[in-house]
Amino acid sequence: MRRRAEQDWQAGAAAMLAAWPEPAALLDRQGRLLAINEAGRALLAVALPTRPGDDIRAWFPLAQQPGFLAAIAHGSGRMPLTMSPPLAAPRVTEVVLQPLEQNALLLRLGAEAPQGREERLALLGRMAGGVAHDFNNLLAIVMGASAAAAAAADAMERGRELTAIDAAAERGAALVRQLLAFSRQQVLTPRILPLNDAVAAIGTLLPRLLGTAITLELALEEPGRLVLADPTQLDQVIINLVANARDAIQGSGKGGLIRLATGRRVVLGADSEDGLPPGRYASIIVEDDGPGIPPALMAKIFEPFFTTRIDQGGTGLGLATVQGIIAQSGGHILAESPPSGGTRFTILLPRQEVQAAEAPQARPPAAPATILLAEDEPALLRLASQALGLGGHTVLSAADGYTAIEMIEAGARPELLVSDVSMPGMDGVALARAARAICPGLPVLLLSGYAAATLGVDMAAEGWHFLAKPCHGEALREAVAAALAKPG
């Protein structure tokens, strides 16, 4: 339980870290890297190791390592720093270490201005703590239901407990999706779709969300435009904004109107208001006639875990999730609340000109194959192996990347490598490259809870396939079929 809570906290903290604009990393108390953000990787350059589990003393000259180790042991500290050329850059002028929960350390690189530093640290700690709290609650449900299922006297009672476990898992996956959405690392499945059709479809469901006291007005501008978006996540964006508008109107103690509309906007180079890049956009507008948002709060509404409804169960993730989904889709969101009242959110998505392709036909099951499966979590390794076995495949299981390579070096010749990305020591990316060095052309399927774009690898250029976690056994078998049908 404790180890799982630490892993959950680290996963949540890593997601928060990814959204941090300054170079920063998470460390354990031995100076090993837990996670680093893109700004940190860019600052340190490609010559320095930035994989989870790396000893980061390699980042610093030998003369500075004793001071760094002393600061690690103490759990906090600030020291001037010069990195050895040609590594990184002279831009790194200091290292700041500060303690976080779960025996972890936050490492900040560079000369950050004191203003705002503590606020960002507090935000990271609050967000990571919130993730750990929610996951611990879900784990308590899973553990309690597991014990009850084991002691159940009949199949019906056991089935109820298994349903509770499955529901808790789905809630946990949804929480992770929210975190990854506002850190812009969510796994999206975008496709070109008619915006009016998408908005009209979700619009038919919204009256049930609003009740009888609130009127929904739908205004779809013709001709409709095409956008590139994940339809499921676009629905989530609209539902979140409409639900917020509903809550604002209900808080005023009277009925009201919510307007959901589509439109267009052209932003010219000399007229890029609101900091928008020039371009042609399709827009979604959600506005209400509620009391509006006070100017003092407007600057904070997209902050994760900021909420004015904490006593009503508000999490503060709704607008942060919306902003993350829109940004990851290449779009922008604007918020307005005039003194006269009411709130207006405008979503701008780049317009597309290509018609949507026909939906692909269902892929037939893959012929039985020998699969090398690498996963450092024993339970996931067992479950994935069982799922692949149900597809008729022969599975060679490896508890880490090193074991997988040793099996290949000993003569194993799999027809497909399936590997988790985040593993201690040799991660999935390094394993895939090492395996292909021995078995050229070996098909590769990587599994991760983060979007493929965040792995720092050109998946298409490598010829690798990708599947988002968590996933059910059927999704894993379908991904295996695709990887075997189109090897890289």
Side-chain angles (χ1 to χ4, degrees):
M1 176 73 175
R2 180 176 178 181
R3 178 173 177 268
R4 172 57 63 188
E6 290 177 355
Q7 291 175 338
D8 292 337
W9 183 90
Q10 289 175 11
M16 305 310 106
L17 188 72
W20 197 313
E22 290 83 11
L26 289 177
L27 312 177
D28 64 17
R29 288 305 180 99
Q30 285 70 50
R32 293 189 298 263
L33 187 66
L34 298 176
I36 185 170
N37 62 8
E38 287 301 317
R41 286 195 182 93
L43 183 67
L44 297 177
V46 296
L48 285 170
T50 55
R51 295 289 184 189
D54 285 337
D55 186 338
I56 70 164
R57 283 179 296 178
W59 295 2
F60 313 125
L62 288 174
Q64 293 182 333
Q65 290 187 15
F68 173 71
L69 291 175
I72 286 284
H74 186 263
S76 64
R78 177 177 304 179
M79 67 208 79
L81 186 73
T82 303
M83 288 194 160
S84 303
L87 303 182
R91 291 177 292 167
V92 180
T93 58
E94 72 171 1
V95 161
V96 179
L97 282 166
Q98 292 182 258
L100 296 176
E101 297 178 26
Q102 298 295 339
N103 214 26
L105 297 170
L106 175 69
L107 172 75
R108 297 199 310 275
L109 295 167
E112 183 185 3
Q115 185 177 6
R117 175 186 295 165
E118 299 305 325
E119 182 179 347
R120 280 190 294 273
L121 178 63
L123 176 62
L124 176 65
R126 187 167 72 249
M127 293 166 72
V131 173
H133 174 268
D134 288 348
F135 263 105
N136 282 337
N137 286 342
L138 295 175
L139 289 172
I141 294 172
V142 171
M143 294 178 69
S146 297
D154 56 61
M156 182 175 295
E157 184 180 350
R158 188 178 305 111
R160 285 196 297 268
E161 300 302 337
L162 293 176
T163 299
I165 292 172
D166 188 63
E170 291 293 343
R171 286 173 57 196
L175 175 61
V176 170
R177 286 194 295 269
Q178 280 192 304
L179 294 172
L180 293 179
F182 72 71
S183 66
R184 305 176 191 182
Q185 297 187 58
Q186 187 176 25
V187 180
L188 301 181
T189 308
R191 61 182 177 89
I192 294 177
L193 52 90
L195 182 60
N196 279 0
D197 291 352
V199 174
I202 191 64
T204 61
L205 304 178
L206 293 175
R208 303 171 189 172
L209 177 70
L210 301 179
T212 57
I214 299 175
T215 300
L216 177 69
E217 178 184 299
L218 198 62
L220 306 179
E221 184 182 74
E222 295 292 349
R225 269 74 186 177
L226 300 174
V227 296
L228 180 65
D230 182 319
T232 301
Q233 298 306 320
L234 188 61
D235 286 350
Q236 182 183 352
V237 164
I238 294 173
I239 289 171
N240 280 2
L241 292 177
V242 170
N244 282 353
R246 175 204 61 190
D247 294 342
I249 292 173
Q250 290 177 341
S252 66
K254 57 182 181 180
L257 172 71
I258 296 175
R259 182 172 181 266
L260 176 60
T262 60
R264 67 187 187 276
R265 180 183 295 189
V266 176
V267 178
L268 303 176
D271 186 35
S272 54
E273 69 272 25
D274 300 306
L276 295 173
R280 302 167 69 229
Y281 296 93
S283 65
I284 304 172
I285 298 168
V286 178
E287 57 184 337
D288 64 72
D289 60 357
I293 301 174
L297 300 182
M298 181 62 78
K300 299 181 178 181
I301 60 173
F302 292 110
E303 289 184 5
F305 289 103
F306 173 78
T307 179
T308 59
R309 299 185 298 107
I310 192 168
D311 57 332
Q312 302 169 41
T315 64
L317 285 177
L319 287 178
T321 299
V322 165
Q323 186 183 50
I325 292 172
I326 296 303
Q328 196 175 348
S329 301
H332 308 269
I333 182 168
L334 309 174
E336 306 167 80
S337 186
S340 58
T343 304
R344 177 188 182 104
F345 287 93
T346 302
I347 297 166
L348 298 173
L349 295 170
R351 286 164 55 183
Q352 305 291 321
E353 305 299 335
V354 181
Q355 291 291 337
E358 292 185 4
Q361 298 297 315
R363 185 181 302 277
T370 300
I371 298 173
L372 176 55
L373 174 65
E375 168 62 66
D376 65 307
E377 180 65 46
L380 291 180
L381 180 64
R382 176 176 56 83
L383 292 171
S385 179
Q386 289 176 352
L388 294 175
L390 289 174
H393 302 294
T394 300
V395 182
L396 308 176
S397 298
D400 54 52
Y402 295 121
T403 302
I405 285 298
E406 289 172 357
M407 294 169 71
I408 294 177
E409 290 175 339
R413 288 298 177 263
E415 297 166 78
L416 172 68
L417 170 65
V418 178
S419 176
D420 183 29
V421 171
S422 299
M423 296 186 294
M426 177 181 287
D427 65 14
V429 171
L431 169 59
R433 288 174 174 157
R436 277 199 167 177
I438 302 172
C439 303
L442 176 67
V444 172
L445 172 62
L446 294 181
L447 313 178
S448 177
Y450 293 101
T454 67
L455 304 182
V457 177
D458 188 337
M459 301 288 286
E462 296 281 0
W464 297 345
H465 296 257
F466 179 82
L467 177 64
K469 295 169 67 178
C471 60
H472 291 288
E474 184 60 35
L476 177 59
R477 289 189 291 270
E478 289 178 358
V480 163
L484 289 170
K486 296 181 179 179

